């Protein structure tokens, strides 16, 4: 019985310590950007959104994660001409910290996607990714 009470006491102390150290973070999440760097009709682009983020006081005072759910490419001409590089450049400038591969990341082919990964300042996550034709898992990208 004493052993169980001691364990319970230790568990409560650890839990209280963990709760006492909880911190607030802010998550800015985008998805399906589709290469829209600039305004497109009624839809604001990435540059406009970034300007609004910077106007928020919380972005200066609260630790912030900037994440994307993928589908960064395909849409306006700038995305097609640069094979997604322009979108990656803007995401780098905006401070994205992580991205997930969507179906449009491969629109310009595997080689273009690999080149995009090389210039990203943030990791790109995926599951069930296989190299076209060989169906091998691209082990050099697994971390």
């Amino acid at each position: 019985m004493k052993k169980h009470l001691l364990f319970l006491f230790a568990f409560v102390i650890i839990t209280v310590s963990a709760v006492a150290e909880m911190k607030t973070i802010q998550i800015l999440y985008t998805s399906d950007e589709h290469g829209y760097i600039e305004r497109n009709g009624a839809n604001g682009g990435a540059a406009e959104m970034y300007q609004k983020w910077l106007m928020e006081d919380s972005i200066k005072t609260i630790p912030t994660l900037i994440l994307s759910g993928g589908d960064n490419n395909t849409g306006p001409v700038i995305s097609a001409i640069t094979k997604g590089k322009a979108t990656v450049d803007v995401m780098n400038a905006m401070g994205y910290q992580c991205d997930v591969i969507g179906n449009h990341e491969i629109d310009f082919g595997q080689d273009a996607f690999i080149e995009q990964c090389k210039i990203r300042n943030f990791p790109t996550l995926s599951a069930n990714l296989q190299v076209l034709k060989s169906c091998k898992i691209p082990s050099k990208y697994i971390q």
Side-chain angles (χ1 to χ4, degrees):
M1 180 69 169
K2 268 186 167 178
K3 194 184 253 186
H4 291 342
L5 286 176
L6 184 58
F7 174 76
L8 181 61
F9 179 72
F11 177 75
V12 169
I13 294 296
I14 291 169
T15 303
V16 169
S17 296
V19 170
E21 293 184 29
M22 285 178 53
K23 296 186 185 235
T24 299
I25 65 166
Q26 174 172 244
I27 299 174
L28 301 177
Y29 174 82
T30 62
S31 184
D32 297 286
E33 296 88 358
H34 293 280
Y36 286 100
I37 298 167
E38 299 177 315
R39 174 174 280 285
N40 178 30
N43 300 317
E48 186 175 325
M49 182 174 54
Y50 187 56
Q51 181 182 19
K52 288 180 181 181
W53 288 353
L54 292 177
M55 292 170 61
E56 293 292 326
D57 288 335
S58 64
I59 203 155
K60 299 173 190 111
T61 59
I62 298 173
T64 303
L65 289 173
I66 304 176
L67 310 172
S68 172
D71 280 357
N72 313 131
N73 299 327
T74 305
V77 174
I78 188 73
S79 180
I81 290 173
T82 65
K83 295 185 178 178
K85 182 186 178 301
T87 306
V88 174
D89 289 344
V90 168
M91 291 176 77
N92 284 340
M94 291 174 72
Y96 275 84
Q97 292 154 308
C98 191
D99 184 29
V100 176
I101 298 173
N103 61 305
H104 290 297
E105 273 60 64
I106 314 295
D107 283 357
F108 306 118
Q110 280 182 181
D111 292 339
F113 172 68
I114 290 168
E115 290 305 310
Q116 286 178 33
C117 288
K118 288 178 183 176
I119 63 170
R120 291 173 190 236
N121 294 339
F122 49 88
T124 300
L125 307 176
S126 180
N128 303 320
L129 186 66
Q130 296 179 340
V131 176
L132 191 64
K133 295 181 184 172
S134 72
C135 294
K136 292 183 180 177
I137 297 171
S139 60
K140 68 180 181 179
Y141 296 108
I142 297 174
Q143 296 183 0

Short mmCIF file of all heavy atoms in Angstrom, two decimals, residues 48-104:
data_model
loop_
_atom_site.label_atom_id
_atom_site.label_comp_id
_atom_site.label_asym_id
_atom_site.label_seq_id
_atom_site.Cartn_x
_atom_site.Cartn_y
_atom_site.Cartn_z
N GLU A 48 -0.40 39.01 -49.02
CA GLU A 48 -1.40 39.76 -48.26
C GLU A 48 -1.66 39.11 -46.90
O GLU A 48 -1.79 39.79 -45.88
CB GLU A 48 -2.70 39.83 -49.07
CG GLU A 48 -3.76 40.70 -48.43
CD GLU A 48 -4.99 40.83 -49.32
OE1 GLU A 48 -4.85 40.86 -50.55
OE2 GLU A 48 -6.09 40.89 -48.75
N MET A 49 -1.72 37.80 -46.89
CA MET A 49 -1.94 37.08 -45.64
C MET A 49 -0.78 37.32 -44.68
O MET A 49 -0.98 37.56 -43.49
CB MET A 49 -2.10 35.58 -45.91
CG MET A 49 -2.37 34.77 -44.68
SD MET A 49 -2.73 33.04 -45.05
CE MET A 49 -1.32 32.57 -46.00
N TYR A 50 0.44 37.27 -45.20
CA TYR A 50 1.62 37.50 -44.38
C TYR A 50 1.60 38.89 -43.78
O TYR A 50 1.92 39.09 -42.61
CB TYR A 50 2.88 37.27 -45.20
CG TYR A 50 4.15 37.32 -44.41
CD1 TYR A 50 4.34 36.50 -43.30
CD2 TYR A 50 5.19 38.18 -44.76
CE1 TYR A 50 5.51 36.54 -42.57
CE2 TYR A 50 6.36 38.22 -44.04
CZ TYR A 50 6.53 37.39 -42.95
OH TYR A 50 7.69 37.43 -42.22
N GLN A 51 1.20 39.87 -44.56
CA GLN A 51 1.10 41.25 -44.06
C GLN A 51 0.12 41.32 -42.89
O GLN A 51 0.38 41.97 -41.89
CB GLN A 51 0.68 42.19 -45.18
CG GLN A 51 0.59 43.63 -44.73
CD GLN A 51 0.11 44.55 -45.84
OE1 GLN A 51 -0.48 44.10 -46.82
NE2 GLN A 51 0.34 45.83 -45.68
N LYS A 52 -1.01 40.62 -43.00
CA LYS A 52 -2.00 40.61 -41.92
C LYS A 52 -1.44 39.92 -40.68
O LYS A 52 -1.68 40.36 -39.56
CB LYS A 52 -3.29 39.94 -42.38
CG LYS A 52 -4.06 40.81 -43.35
CD LYS A 52 -5.34 40.16 -43.82
CE LYS A 52 -6.03 41.09 -44.80
NZ LYS A 52 -7.29 40.56 -45.28
N TRP A 53 -0.69 38.83 -40.88
CA TRP A 53 -0.07 38.15 -39.74
C TRP A 53 0.85 39.11 -38.99
O TRP A 53 0.84 39.16 -37.77
CB TRP A 53 0.74 36.95 -40.19
CG TRP A 53 -0.04 35.77 -40.66
CD1 TRP A 53 -1.40 35.59 -40.61
CD2 TRP A 53 0.48 34.59 -41.26
NE1 TRP A 53 -1.74 34.38 -41.16
CE2 TRP A 53 -0.61 33.74 -41.55
CE3 TRP A 53 1.77 34.17 -41.59
CZ2 TRP A 53 -0.44 32.50 -42.14
CZ3 TRP A 53 1.93 32.93 -42.17
CH2 TRP A 53 0.83 32.10 -42.45
N LEU A 54 1.67 39.85 -39.73
CA LEU A 54 2.63 40.75 -39.11
C LEU A 54 1.97 41.90 -38.36
O LEU A 54 2.56 42.48 -37.46
CB LEU A 54 3.60 41.30 -40.16
CG LEU A 54 4.55 40.28 -40.77
CD1 LEU A 54 5.41 40.94 -41.84
CD2 LEU A 54 5.41 39.60 -39.72
N MET A 55 0.73 42.23 -38.71
CA MET A 55 0.01 43.29 -38.03
C MET A 55 -0.56 42.84 -36.69
O MET A 55 -0.95 43.65 -35.86
CB MET A 55 -1.11 43.82 -38.94
CG MET A 55 -0.55 44.56 -40.15
SD MET A 55 -1.79 44.96 -41.41
CE MET A 55 -2.90 46.02 -40.51
N GLU A 56 -0.60 41.54 -36.47
CA GLU A 56 -1.12 40.99 -35.20
C GLU A 56 -0.06 41.12 -34.12
O GLU A 56 1.09 40.70 -34.31
CB GLU A 56 -1.49 39.53 -35.37
CG GLU A 56 -2.66 39.28 -36.28
CD GLU A 56 -3.98 39.79 -35.70
OE1 GLU A 56 -4.15 39.73 -34.47
OE2 GLU A 56 -4.81 40.26 -36.48
N ASP A 57 -0.42 41.67 -32.97
CA ASP A 57 0.52 41.79 -31.86
C ASP A 57 0.99 40.43 -31.36
O ASP A 57 2.13 40.28 -30.95
CB ASP A 57 -0.12 42.56 -30.70
CG ASP A 57 -0.26 44.04 -31.01
OD1 ASP A 57 0.53 44.55 -31.85
OD2 ASP A 57 -1.15 44.68 -30.42
N SER A 58 0.10 39.44 -31.42
CA SER A 58 0.44 38.13 -30.86
C SER A 58 1.61 37.48 -31.58
O SER A 58 2.34 36.69 -30.98
CB SER A 58 -0.78 37.19 -30.91
OG SER A 58 -1.16 36.95 -32.25
N ILE A 59 1.83 37.80 -32.84
CA ILE A 59 2.93 37.16 -33.57
C ILE A 59 4.28 37.62 -33.02
O ILE A 59 5.28 36.93 -33.16
CB ILE A 59 2.84 37.40 -35.10
CG1 ILE A 59 3.61 36.30 -35.83
CG2 ILE A 59 3.33 38.76 -35.49
CD1 ILE A 59 3.15 36.06 -37.23
N LYS A 60 4.28 38.76 -32.32
CA LYS A 60 5.51 39.27 -31.73
C LYS A 60 5.69 38.80 -30.29
O LYS A 60 6.79 38.83 -29.76
CB LYS A 60 5.51 40.79 -31.77
CG LYS A 60 5.44 41.37 -33.18
CD LYS A 60 5.26 42.88 -33.14
CE LYS A 60 4.95 43.39 -34.52
NZ LYS A 60 3.60 43.89 -34.67
N THR A 61 4.61 38.37 -29.65
CA THR A 61 4.68 38.06 -28.22
C THR A 61 4.47 36.59 -27.87
O THR A 61 4.86 36.15 -26.80
CB THR A 61 3.64 38.89 -27.45
OG1 THR A 61 2.33 38.60 -27.96
CG2 THR A 61 3.92 40.38 -27.58
N ILE A 62 3.85 35.83 -28.75
CA ILE A 62 3.56 34.42 -28.48
C ILE A 62 4.38 33.55 -29.43
O ILE A 62 4.39 33.83 -30.64
CB ILE A 62 2.06 34.12 -28.67
CG1 ILE A 62 1.22 34.94 -27.69
CG2 ILE A 62 1.76 32.64 -28.48
CD1 ILE A 62 -0.28 34.83 -27.93
N PRO A 63 5.06 32.52 -28.92
CA PRO A 63 5.76 31.61 -29.83
C PRO A 63 4.77 31.08 -30.88
O PRO A 63 3.67 30.66 -30.55
CB PRO A 63 6.24 30.49 -28.93
CG PRO A 63 6.30 31.09 -27.56
CD PRO A 63 5.20 32.11 -27.53
N THR A 64 5.18 31.15 -32.15
CA THR A 64 4.27 30.85 -33.25
C THR A 64 4.84 29.79 -34.17
O THR A 64 6.01 29.87 -34.56
CB THR A 64 3.98 32.13 -34.06
OG1 THR A 64 3.44 33.12 -33.17
CG2 THR A 64 3.00 31.88 -35.17
N LEU A 65 4.02 28.82 -34.52
CA LEU A 65 4.36 27.82 -35.53
C LEU A 65 3.60 28.16 -36.80
O LEU A 65 2.40 28.40 -36.75
CB LEU A 65 3.94 26.42 -35.08
CG LEU A 65 4.72 25.79 -33.95
CD1 LEU A 65 4.06 24.49 -33.52
CD2 LEU A 65 6.15 25.52 -34.38
N ILE A 66 4.30 28.18 -37.92
CA ILE A 66 3.65 28.42 -39.20
C ILE A 66 3.73 27.13 -40.00
O ILE A 66 4.82 26.67 -40.35
CB ILE A 66 4.31 29.59 -39.96
CG1 ILE A 66 4.29 30.85 -39.09
CG2 ILE A 66 3.59 29.84 -41.28
CD1 ILE A 66 4.99 32.05 -39.69
N LEU A 67 2.58 26.52 -40.24
CA LEU A 67 2.50 25.19 -40.84
C LEU A 67 1.62 25.21 -42.09
O LEU A 67 0.69 25.99 -42.19
CB LEU A 67 1.89 24.21 -39.83
CG LEU A 67 2.49 24.19 -38.43
CD1 LEU A 67 1.66 23.31 -37.51
CD2 LEU A 67 3.93 23.74 -38.47
N SER A 68 1.93 24.30 -43.01
CA SER A 68 1.11 24.14 -44.20
C SER A 68 0.67 22.70 -44.34
O SER A 68 1.46 21.78 -44.14
CB SER A 68 1.89 24.56 -45.46
OG SER A 68 1.13 24.22 -46.61
N GLY A 69 -0.57 22.52 -44.74
CA GLY A 69 -1.11 21.19 -44.96
C GLY A 69 -0.89 20.69 -46.38
O GLY A 69 -1.41 19.64 -46.76
N GLY A 70 -0.11 21.41 -47.18
CA GLY A 70 0.24 20.93 -48.51
C GLY A 70 -0.59 21.52 -49.61
O GLY A 70 -1.41 22.41 -49.41
N ASP A 71 -0.35 21.00 -50.80
CA ASP A 71 -0.93 21.52 -52.04
C ASP A 71 -0.47 22.95 -52.27
O ASP A 71 -1.25 23.85 -52.55
CB ASP A 71 -2.45 21.42 -52.05
CG ASP A 71 -2.94 20.03 -52.39
OD1 ASP A 71 -2.10 19.15 -52.66
OD2 ASP A 71 -4.16 19.81 -52.40
N ASN A 72 0.85 23.15 -52.17
CA ASN A 72 1.43 24.48 -52.34
C ASN A 72 1.46 24.93 -53.79
O ASN A 72 1.43 26.13 -54.07
CB ASN A 72 2.88 24.51 -51.82
CG ASN A 72 3.05 23.87 -50.46
OD1 ASN A 72 3.92 23.05 -50.28
ND2 ASN A 72 2.21 24.21 -49.51
N ASN A 73 1.56 24.00 -54.71
CA ASN A 73 1.78 24.33 -56.13
C ASN A 73 0.50 24.30 -56.94
O ASN A 73 -0.54 23.89 -56.47
CB ASN A 73 2.77 23.33 -56.75
CG ASN A 73 4.11 23.35 -56.07
OD1 ASN A 73 4.56 24.39 -55.62
ND2 ASN A 73 4.76 22.21 -56.01
N THR A 74 0.67 24.69 -58.18
CA THR A 74 -0.35 24.63 -59.23
C THR A 74 -1.40 25.71 -59.00
O THR A 74 -1.95 25.84 -57.92
CB THR A 74 -1.02 23.25 -59.31
OG1 THR A 74 -0.01 22.28 -59.48
CG2 THR A 74 -1.95 23.16 -60.49
N GLY A 75 -1.64 26.44 -60.04
CA GLY A 75 -2.60 27.53 -59.98
C GLY A 75 -2.17 28.60 -60.94
O GLY A 75 -2.24 28.42 -62.15
N PRO A 76 -1.67 29.73 -60.43
CA PRO A 76 -1.29 30.83 -61.31
C PRO A 76 -0.03 30.51 -62.13
O PRO A 76 0.73 29.60 -61.81
CB PRO A 76 -1.06 32.00 -60.36
CG PRO A 76 -0.81 31.39 -59.04
CD PRO A 76 -1.51 30.07 -59.03
N VAL A 77 0.18 31.31 -63.14
CA VAL A 77 1.29 31.11 -64.06
C VAL A 77 2.65 31.10 -63.35
O VAL A 77 3.52 30.30 -63.68
CB VAL A 77 1.27 32.19 -65.18
CG1 VAL A 77 2.48 32.09 -66.07
CG2 VAL A 77 -0.01 32.05 -65.99
N ILE A 78 2.84 31.97 -62.35
CA ILE A 78 4.13 32.04 -61.65
C ILE A 78 4.53 30.69 -61.06
O ILE A 78 5.69 30.31 -61.07
CB ILE A 78 4.15 33.17 -60.58
CG1 ILE A 78 5.55 33.38 -60.01
CG2 ILE A 78 3.18 32.86 -59.45
CD1 ILE A 78 6.50 34.07 -60.93
N SER A 79 3.55 29.96 -60.57
CA SER A 79 3.83 28.63 -60.02
C SER A 79 4.26 27.67 -61.11
O SER A 79 5.20 26.90 -60.96
CB SER A 79 2.59 28.10 -59.29
OG SER A 79 2.85 26.83 -58.75
N ALA A 80 3.58 27.72 -62.25
CA ALA A 80 3.89 26.82 -63.35
C ALA A 80 5.24 27.14 -63.99
O ALA A 80 6.05 26.25 -64.24
CB ALA A 80 2.78 26.87 -64.41
N ILE A 81 5.51 28.43 -64.22
CA ILE A 81 6.76 28.83 -64.87
C ILE A 81 7.97 28.43 -64.03
O ILE A 81 8.98 27.98 -64.56
CB ILE A 81 6.77 30.35 -65.14
CG1 ILE A 81 5.79 30.69 -66.24
CG2 ILE A 81 8.17 30.84 -65.51
CD1 ILE A 81 5.60 32.18 -66.45
N THR A 82 7.86 28.61 -62.73
CA THR A 82 8.99 28.31 -61.84
C THR A 82 8.96 26.89 -61.29
O THR A 82 9.79 26.52 -60.48
CB THR A 82 9.04 29.30 -60.66
OG1 THR A 82 7.88 29.12 -59.84
CG2 THR A 82 9.14 30.74 -61.15
N LYS A 83 7.98 26.10 -61.73
CA LYS A 83 7.79 24.72 -61.25
C LYS A 83 7.73 24.67 -59.72
O LYS A 83 8.32 23.82 -59.08
CB LYS A 83 8.88 23.81 -61.79
CG LYS A 83 8.82 23.67 -63.29
CD LYS A 83 9.81 22.67 -63.80
CE LYS A 83 9.64 22.54 -65.29
NZ LYS A 83 10.58 21.63 -65.89
N GLY A 84 7.01 25.64 -59.15
CA GLY A 84 6.79 25.68 -57.71
C GLY A 84 7.85 26.41 -56.92
O GLY A 84 7.67 26.68 -55.73
N LYS A 85 8.97 26.77 -57.54
CA LYS A 85 10.06 27.44 -56.81
C LYS A 85 9.61 28.77 -56.22
O LYS A 85 9.96 29.09 -55.08
CB LYS A 85 11.27 27.65 -57.72
CG LYS A 85 12.44 28.28 -57.00
CD LYS A 85 13.58 28.61 -57.95
CE LYS A 85 14.74 29.29 -57.26
NZ LYS A 85 14.42 30.53 -56.58
N ALA A 86 8.84 29.55 -56.95
CA ALA A 86 8.38 30.85 -56.45
C ALA A 86 7.56 30.68 -55.18
O ALA A 86 7.69 31.46 -54.23
CB ALA A 86 7.57 31.58 -57.52
N THR A 87 6.74 29.66 -55.15
CA THR A 87 5.93 29.39 -53.96
C THR A 87 6.81 29.05 -52.77
O THR A 87 6.60 29.53 -51.66
CB THR A 87 4.92 28.25 -54.23
OG1 THR A 87 4.16 28.59 -55.39
CG2 THR A 87 3.98 28.05 -53.07
N VAL A 88 7.82 28.21 -53.00
CA VAL A 88 8.75 27.84 -51.92
C VAL A 88 9.50 29.07 -51.43
O VAL A 88 9.67 29.26 -50.22
CB VAL A 88 9.73 26.74 -52.37
CG1 VAL A 88 10.79 26.48 -51.30
CG2 VAL A 88 8.98 25.45 -52.70
N ASP A 89 9.93 29.93 -52.35
CA ASP A 89 10.64 31.16 -51.95
C ASP A 89 9.77 32.01 -51.04
O ASP A 89 10.25 32.54 -50.03
CB ASP A 89 11.04 31.97 -53.19
CG ASP A 89 12.17 31.32 -53.98
OD1 ASP A 89 12.87 30.43 -53.45
OD2 ASP A 89 12.35 31.71 -55.15
N VAL A 90 8.49 32.15 -51.37
CA VAL A 90 7.58 32.94 -50.55
C VAL A 90 7.36 32.26 -49.19
O VAL A 90 7.37 32.91 -48.15
CB VAL A 90 6.24 33.19 -51.28
CG1 VAL A 90 5.19 33.76 -50.35
CG2 VAL A 90 6.47 34.12 -52.46
N MET A 91 7.18 30.94 -49.19
CA MET A 91 6.99 30.22 -47.93
C MET A 91 8.23 30.35 -47.04
O MET A 91 8.11 30.51 -45.82
CB MET A 91 6.64 28.76 -48.19
CG MET A 91 5.26 28.59 -48.82
SD MET A 91 4.87 26.88 -49.23
CE MET A 91 4.49 26.24 -47.58
N ASN A 92 9.41 30.31 -47.64
CA ASN A 92 10.65 30.54 -46.86
C ASN A 92 10.64 31.93 -46.24
O ASN A 92 10.95 32.10 -45.07
CB ASN A 92 11.89 30.38 -47.75
CG ASN A 92 12.23 28.93 -48.05
OD1 ASN A 92 11.82 28.01 -47.36
ND2 ASN A 92 12.99 28.73 -49.11
N ALA A 93 10.29 32.93 -47.04
CA ALA A 93 10.27 34.32 -46.55
C ALA A 93 9.24 34.51 -45.45
O ALA A 93 9.44 35.32 -44.54
CB ALA A 93 9.99 35.28 -47.71
N MET A 94 8.14 33.77 -45.52
CA MET A 94 7.07 33.89 -44.52
C MET A 94 7.41 33.14 -43.23
O MET A 94 6.73 33.30 -42.23
CB MET A 94 5.75 33.36 -45.09
CG MET A 94 5.18 34.24 -46.19
SD MET A 94 3.71 33.54 -46.97
CE MET A 94 2.48 33.76 -45.67
N GLY A 95 8.46 32.34 -43.26
CA GLY A 95 8.89 31.65 -42.04
C GLY A 95 8.18 30.34 -41.76
O GLY A 95 8.10 29.93 -40.60
N TYR A 96 7.66 29.69 -42.78
CA TYR A 96 7.04 28.39 -42.54
C TYR A 96 8.02 27.47 -41.85
O TYR A 96 9.23 27.49 -42.13
CB TYR A 96 6.58 27.76 -43.86
CG TYR A 96 5.21 28.22 -44.30
CD1 TYR A 96 5.05 29.41 -44.99
CD2 TYR A 96 4.08 27.47 -44.00
CE1 TYR A 96 3.80 29.85 -45.39
CE2 TYR A 96 2.82 27.90 -44.40
CZ TYR A 96 2.70 29.09 -45.09
OH TYR A 96 1.45 29.52 -45.47
N GLN A 97 7.52 26.66 -40.93
CA GLN A 97 8.37 25.76 -40.17
C GLN A 97 8.16 24.30 -40.51
O GLN A 97 8.96 23.45 -40.13
CB GLN A 97 8.17 26.01 -38.68
CG GLN A 97 8.72 27.37 -38.30
CD GLN A 97 8.04 27.93 -37.09
OE1 GLN A 97 6.83 28.01 -37.02
NE2 GLN A 97 8.84 28.32 -36.12
N CYS A 98 7.09 24.00 -41.23
CA CYS A 98 6.83 22.62 -41.62
C CYS A 98 5.74 22.59 -42.69
O CYS A 98 4.88 23.46 -42.73
CB CYS A 98 6.38 21.80 -40.41
SG CYS A 98 6.34 20.04 -40.73
N ASP A 99 5.83 21.58 -43.53
CA ASP A 99 4.88 21.41 -44.62
C ASP A 99 4.59 19.92 -44.76
O ASP A 99 5.41 19.08 -44.39
CB ASP A 99 5.51 21.96 -45.91
CG ASP A 99 4.57 21.92 -47.10
OD1 ASP A 99 3.35 22.01 -46.91
OD2 ASP A 99 5.08 21.82 -48.23
N VAL A 100 3.45 19.62 -45.30
CA VAL A 100 3.06 18.24 -45.59
C VAL A 100 2.90 18.13 -47.11
O VAL A 100 2.40 19.05 -47.74
CB VAL A 100 1.74 17.87 -44.89
CG1 VAL A 100 1.30 16.47 -45.27
CG2 VAL A 100 1.90 17.98 -43.39
N ILE A 101 3.33 17.02 -47.67
CA ILE A 101 3.21 16.85 -49.11
C ILE A 101 1.76 16.61 -49.47
O ILE A 101 1.10 15.72 -48.93
CB ILE A 101 4.06 15.66 -49.60
CG1 ILE A 101 5.53 15.91 -49.31
CG2 ILE A 101 3.85 15.42 -51.09
CD1 ILE A 101 6.41 14.73 -49.59
N GLY A 102 1.27 17.42 -50.40
CA GLY A 102 -0.06 17.22 -50.97
C GLY A 102 0.08 16.67 -52.37
O GLY A 102 1.19 16.53 -52.90
N ASN A 103 -1.01 16.39 -53.01
CA ASN A 103 -0.93 15.82 -54.36
C ASN A 103 -0.36 16.79 -55.38
O ASN A 103 0.23 16.37 -56.37
CB ASN A 103 -2.31 15.30 -54.82
CG ASN A 103 -3.35 16.39 -54.88
OD1 ASN A 103 -3.59 17.09 -53.90
ND2 ASN A 103 -3.99 16.54 -56.03
N HIS A 104 -0.46 18.09 -55.16
CA HIS A 104 0.05 19.05 -56.15
C HIS A 104 1.54 19.31 -56.04
O HIS A 104 2.12 19.96 -56.91
CB HIS A 104 -0.73 20.37 -56.06
CG HIS A 104 -2.13 20.24 -56.54
ND1 HIS A 104 -2.45 19.92 -57.85
CD2 HIS A 104 -3.31 20.36 -55.87
CE1 HIS A 104 -3.76 19.86 -57.98
NE2 HIS A 104 -4.30 20.12 -56.79
#
